[in-house]
Amino acid sequence: MSIHPLKVFFLFCSLLASLTSSCLAQENFQRYSALPFGAYTEETKIQYGAVFVLFFRPFQEGENISSMDFIARGTTRGQFQFQHAPNLWLLGDHLHIPAKLNLNKWQYSLFERGARGDFEAIDEYKSTFVYGRIPFEMNFGIPNNIPFRYGVVLEGEARNNELGDDTPQSYQDGYYLGGGYLFILDQKDNDNWPTKGYYASFEEVFFGGDFSYHTETIDVRLYAPLFWETSIALGLYAKQSRGDNVPLGCLAGPDGTKRFRGVESGIWSDTQAAIWQIELRRPLFWRFAGVIFGEALQSAPYFSELFKRQVHYAVGFGGRLALNRSEKLHARGDLSLVDGKHLGITIDLRESF
C-alpha cells in the first residue's frame, strides 16, 4: 500500500527473521520469513505492521517453489489492512495460481476523475471491504519450450463505504463478481528479481452484481542485464474499464503500490489509463539491494484523448531486503518524488513489476 502524503520520516526495516526448518536434496530449505516495519505519516500518524512469508518445498526437484504472503498493518487512527497472497505452482508447474485476498478498513480520499494536476481531494471517506482475485494460469498441451500460458480469472469484491446520499452510484457500497480469460507470455529468468527476459499478458474480465462493466488490461515488461550486476526493467501497463456504473475502485489508474508508486490509490483514475515504468536494479551487500526508478502516467475518459492529457511522473529510489536469498524475494521500501513536489513512500513485498 502506498503511504501519502509523507512529511516526516520513514523507518522500513527493524528486524529480519529467516529460519531454516527442512532440507531438500541435502540443501537447506528456508521454510518462512518474517519482518516487522513502521512508519509515520500525516495521513495515518504512526503506522505499524509485519510481513510473513511461508515457503513450500516442491514435490520434485527443479519445480517452482510455492509461497504464501501475509501482510498486516494498522495505524493509531484505527485503520487496519490485511493482505494474503498465495503464489501456488501445482501439477508439475502446469498450473499457476497467483491469488490475492484483501481485508480493509481504511480512510481514503475521494478524487475527481481524470488527470488532475493536484492532490486536492473532494472529500474523505471510510471504507470497509473484502476483495479477492484468483487467476488460473495453465500450459496444458503447450510444448515446454514455448513460454505461453492461458487461463481464466475470477474476481470479486464486497464494499461498505461511509459516504453521503448525494454521491454518485459508483461511489456507493455494494458488491460485484466477475470472470474472464487471460493469455501470458513469460520468459523471465526469475519471478521475484528478474534480470533478463520478458513478460506480456492480456486479460479481459466481465463483472455483474450491483455494478455491471468489464475491464481489459495489457501488461508488457522487458528485462536486460547492463553492467556491474546492474539490470534494467521496462514496463508498460494499460487498462480500460467500460460500463454504465464502473465502481470507484475499479477505474483505470495508479494503485500507488506497484503501478506509479508514491500516490494514493484513486487519484488520476478514469476509464482509460497508461503507465510507463523504468527501473535500474542492483544487489548491494548481504541481503540488501537498491533500485532507481522513473514512472509516467496518463488517464482519460476515451482512448482518443488519452495521449493528449497531462503527463504525471514520479522519480525515486528504493531499498530491498531479501527475505529469501535463494528465491530472491525482497521486502521493499520506495521513496518517490511525484510531479516534482509531492513525497511518497511505498512499503510492500516483491518488486513493483
Side-chain angles (χ1 to χ4, degrees):
M1 175 179 178
S2 177
I3 313 166
H4 180 83
L6 292 146
K7 302 295 184 183
V8 188
F9 79 104
F10 167 52
L11 174 64
F12 170 59
C13 170
S14 58
L15 179 65
L16 174 68
S18 299
L19 302 178
T20 302
S21 59
S22 59
C23 296
L24 176 64
Q26 297 182 348
E27 294 182 358
N28 288 336
F29 179 79
Q30 182 175 319
R31 178 65 69 181
Y32 59 87
S33 293
L35 176 73
F37 60 83
Y40 179 88
T41 79
E42 291 186 358
E43 176 193 355
T44 64
K45 305 306 179 185
I46 297 176
Q47 181 175 156
Y48 51 88
V51 301
F52 182 78
V53 186
L54 280 173
F55 303 97
F56 300 92
R57 287 183 294 176
F59 292 104
Q60 297 184 12
E61 188 173 359
E63 294 180 349
N64 289 312
I65 293 177
S66 297
S67 63
M68 288 189 177
D69 300 351
F70 301 86
I71 305 177
R73 74 184 84 216
T75 77
T76 52
R77 295 184 62 188
Q79 298 162 311
F80 175 77
Q81 179 186 73
F82 174 77
Q83 297 174 304
H84 174 41
N87 186 39
L88 306 178
W89 293 91
L90 305 171
L91 303 178
D93 290 349
H94 288 296
L95 176 61
H96 182 212
I97 307 177
K100 183 177 182 180
L101 172 67
N102 279 7
L103 302 175
N104 267 42
K105 182 179 181 182
W106 210 264
Q107 185 165 325
Y108 296 91
S109 296
L110 186 61
F111 298 101
E112 291 182 357
R113 285 194 183 190
R116 302 176 65 224
D118 55 53
F119 281 75
E120 293 182 4
I122 300 174
D123 200 356
E124 291 188 350
Y125 67 99
K126 293 181 180 179
S127 182
T128 302
F129 67 87
V130 179
Y131 168 82
R133 172 183 165 85
I134 309 177
F136 297 88
E137 305 173 1
M138 298 166 281
N139 66 349
F140 297 106
I142 306 297
N144 292 333
N145 61 339
I146 299 178
F148 176 73
R149 298 197 298 270
Y150 58 89
V152 297
V153 57
L154 304 176
E155 188 173 348
E157 181 181 88
R159 180 183 291 263
N160 180 18
N161 294 331
E162 297 181 21
L163 292 164
D165 296 334
D166 57 346
T167 54
Q169 180 184 1
S170 60
Y171 292 1
Q172 297 295 338
D173 50 15
Y175 80 95
Y176 63 81
L177 296 172
Y181 62 91
L182 54 84
F183 300 107
I184 296 174
L185 283 171
D186 188 354
Q187 190 71 350
K188 305 189 303 295
D189 62 336
N190 185 278
D191 279 341
N192 298 319
W193 182 263
T195 59
K196 61 181 179 180
Y198 61 85
Y199 175 94
S201 69
F202 173 80
E203 175 184 303
E204 186 170 24
V205 184
F206 300 86
F207 297 94
D210 292 332
F211 307 96
S212 180
Y213 66 103
H214 80 277
T215 62
E216 296 170 343
T217 305
I218 296 174
D219 188 355
V220 180
R221 314 170 197 174
L222 177 65
Y223 309 93
L226 293 179
F227 47 81
W228 301 331
E229 296 187 89
T230 301
S231 62
I232 186 172
L234 304 171
L236 168 62
Y237 179 86
K239 178 180 178 179
Q240 66 172 355
S241 301
R242 297 189 293 179
D244 295 333
N245 59 339
V246 181
L248 182 64
C250 294
L251 291 171
D255 61 13
T257 303
K258 295 183 178 296
R259 308 299 179 179
F260 207 93
R261 287 157 280 183
V263 300
E264 189 175 347
S265 177
I267 193 172
W268 306 324
S269 295
D270 214 319
T271 54
Q272 312 274 341
I275 299 173
W276 295 265
Q277 297 174 285
I278 181 171
E279 188 166 282
L280 297 177
R281 301 170 177 171
R282 188 180 190 279
L284 297 176
F285 60 92
W286 191 53
R287 293 177 178 264
F288 293 101
V291 305
I292 300 173
F293 62 88
E295 300 179 282
L297 172 146
Q298 288 176 287
S299 62
Y302 305 104
F303 182 80
S304 59
E305 299 181 17
L306 181 62
F307 301 105
K308 302 176 184 178
R309 294 299 179 100
Q310 179 181 353
V311 178
H312 296 279
Y313 67 92
V315 294
F317 62 91
R320 302 292 184 267
L321 178 65
L323 300 184
N324 187 318
R325 283 189 282 191
S326 63
E327 291 299 301
K328 299 182 180 180
L329 187 149
H330 296 86
R332 64 181 174 95
D334 291 320
L335 175 67
S336 58
L337 184 63
V338 182
D339 285 348
K341 55 185 177 180
H342 301 285
L343 187 65
I345 290 180
T346 304
I347 306 171
D348 204 7
L349 274 176
R350 306 178 187 271
E351 296 310 305
S352 175
F353 67 101

